[in-house]
Amino acid sequence: MKRKFNKIAVFTSGGDAPGMNACVRAVVRYGIRQNLKVYGIINGYEGMINGEIVEIESHEVGNIIRLGGTIIKSARSKEFRTEKGMKAAFNNLKNAKIDGVVAIGGDGTFKGANEFSNKFNIPFIGVPATIDNDIFGSDFAIGYDSAINTVVHAVDKIRDTAEAHNRLFIVEVMGRDAGFIALRSGIAVGAEAVLIPEMDTHIDSLVSLLEKGWKRKKSGCVVIVAEGDEAGGAFEIANKVGQSITDYEIRVSILGHMQRGGSPSCMDRVLATRLGVAAVEALIKGKSSQMVGVINNAVRFTPFERSVKHHKTLNKDLLKLTQILS
Ligand code: F6P
């Protein structure tokens, strides 16, 4: 049976991602259009526990579509994982008379939402937003496209120095558990090699590939490594490679949190807008405990149970491209 909806809430959680604001805007504007009152929960699950629930009016989300970060803040909450924390969050949502919640975040966000909506009778719809793009049930997560564009701009500049000085640059990009950022940006910058957690890294093969490049008169090289690669971070790899490579001078560049900030790309703004509207529509239609994503450019829903249990697989054919064209 469809329940009556008067008030919905939205929050952002986990690592921030460009496009989160565009999604908040879509939820607020579309919710108000459907005659709902829309509330923002400030600071993610922490704010839910502390009762930081404030009404957001339409004008308050004006022009946030182009802003990075998240105007309603984000946090990772340990307390929400406890019985006490969840109960406090439930009481606050109940007191504020919230009928449904849109959760914008990553894997951890949906694990919490799944447990919470199984225990308490408040519907949750998830929207994937993480620059890591490692969420099962959506080809793209909000923030990924902006982040890889940031990486491409940065590495193009690094490449100038690599060429000018005959240097080998080991560039570390984000991706604690996944190589999606490394792989796609690596193709786009014409990296000599891409090292990711999903594939074994063999330092010997990397060295021989770089030596072959030198013999072919390559004046500069760029190796992209995801921070979660088994061979270690950029410094460790530079150290290992440096024991055999003498032709190139080696330098390390760690791009870090610059990848998470900045104005969202056009693709992320559009994705965030589509998913935000679809999430509100889903709540109104009575859906719960599902994540909304895009698969083959169509809006699709995946139950939280599935999205948190399954690992998104990386397209290994893309990795072959870097090897073939190196
Ligand atoms: O947003 C995901 C991610 O960027 C990971 O790739 C990275 O390891 C992590 O966040 C770092 O998060 P923080 O340092 O902000 O806790």
Side-chain angles (χ1 to χ4, degrees), residues 66-317:
R66 63 193 169 82
L67 301 181
T70 158
I71 62 158
I72 50 175
K73 312 270 184 186
S74 192
R76 295 190 173 102
S77 172
K78 281 201 183 123
E79 214 188 327
F80 190 75
R81 290 188 214 141
T82 66
E83 182 91 31
K84 195 169 151 240
M86 281 210 182
K87 191 88 198 34
F90 170 68
N91 286 335
N92 286 327
L93 292 178
K94 210 171 88 183
N95 291 340
K97 297 193 166 49
I98 300 297
D99 300 307
V101 180
V102 176
I104 305 169
D107 211 37
T109 309
F110 303 146
K111 277 189 187 131
N114 190 34
E115 213 185 312
F116 186 84
S117 55
N118 284 340
K119 271 201 183 128
F120 305 99
N121 189 22
I122 297 188
F124 269 64
I125 295 290
V127 179
T130 164
I131 65 162
D132 290 346
N133 198 36
D134 56 347
I135 301 181
F136 182 86
S138 191
D139 292 343
F140 297 104
I142 297 166
Y144 174 60
D145 185 65
S146 308
I148 53 179
N149 277 300
T150 299
V151 172
V152 168
H153 290 308
V155 177
D156 281 351
K157 288 177 183 152
I158 289 170
R159 178 74 84 173
D160 290 343
T161 304
E163 295 288 328
H165 287 268
N166 292 339
R167 280 181 183 166
L168 158 62
F169 270 88
I170 314 284
V171 180
E172 184 179 303
V173 297
M174 275 189 165
R176 193 169 26 200
D177 309 306
F180 292 93
I181 296 178
L183 181 54
R184 200 165 274 252
S185 60
I187 293 171
V189 301
E192 273 59 42
V194 173
L195 312 179
I196 53 176
E198 292 85 347
M199 299 290 285
D200 294 338
T201 295
H202 301 289
I203 297 294
D204 293 351
S205 333
L206 178 61
V207 167
S208 100
L209 179 134
L210 295 167
E211 278 170 345
K212 276 186 201 143
W214 176 260
K215 285 188 191 126
R216 278 166 37 220
K217 298 191 174 33
K218 265 184 187 282
S219 50
C221 286
V222 171
V223 171
I224 306 278
V225 54
E227 63 177 321
D229 189 70
E230 49 150 30
F235 279 107
E236 225 172 309
I237 288 166
N239 202 8
K240 288 177 187 162
V241 169
Q243 287 165 21
S244 317
I245 295 266
T246 47
D247 301 318
Y248 295 108
E249 267 194 322
I250 304 179
R251 292 288 186 273
V252 164
S253 184
I254 296 179
L255 299 188
H257 283 81
M258 68 177 291
Q259 295 160 89
R260 286 234 300 251
S263 184
S265 67
C266 174
M267 187 176 145
D268 274 332
R269 296 181 198 197
V270 175
L271 177 69
T273 303
R274 282 176 88 188
L275 297 186
V277 168
V280 176
E281 244 170 14
L283 282 176
I284 294 170
K285 283 188 182 148
K287 282 194 161 79
S288 178
S289 301
Q290 306 205 24
M291 187 197 86
V292 58
V294 280
I295 298 174
N296 294 331
N297 203 23
V299 171
R300 292 277 179 267
F301 287 85
T302 304
F304 281 150
E305 293 285 354
R306 270 172 64 76
S307 73
V308 300
K309 267 196 202 125
H310 290 73
H311 278 292
K312 182 162 153 183
T313 49
L314 189 129
N315 183 348
K316 302 238 164 85
D317 289 343

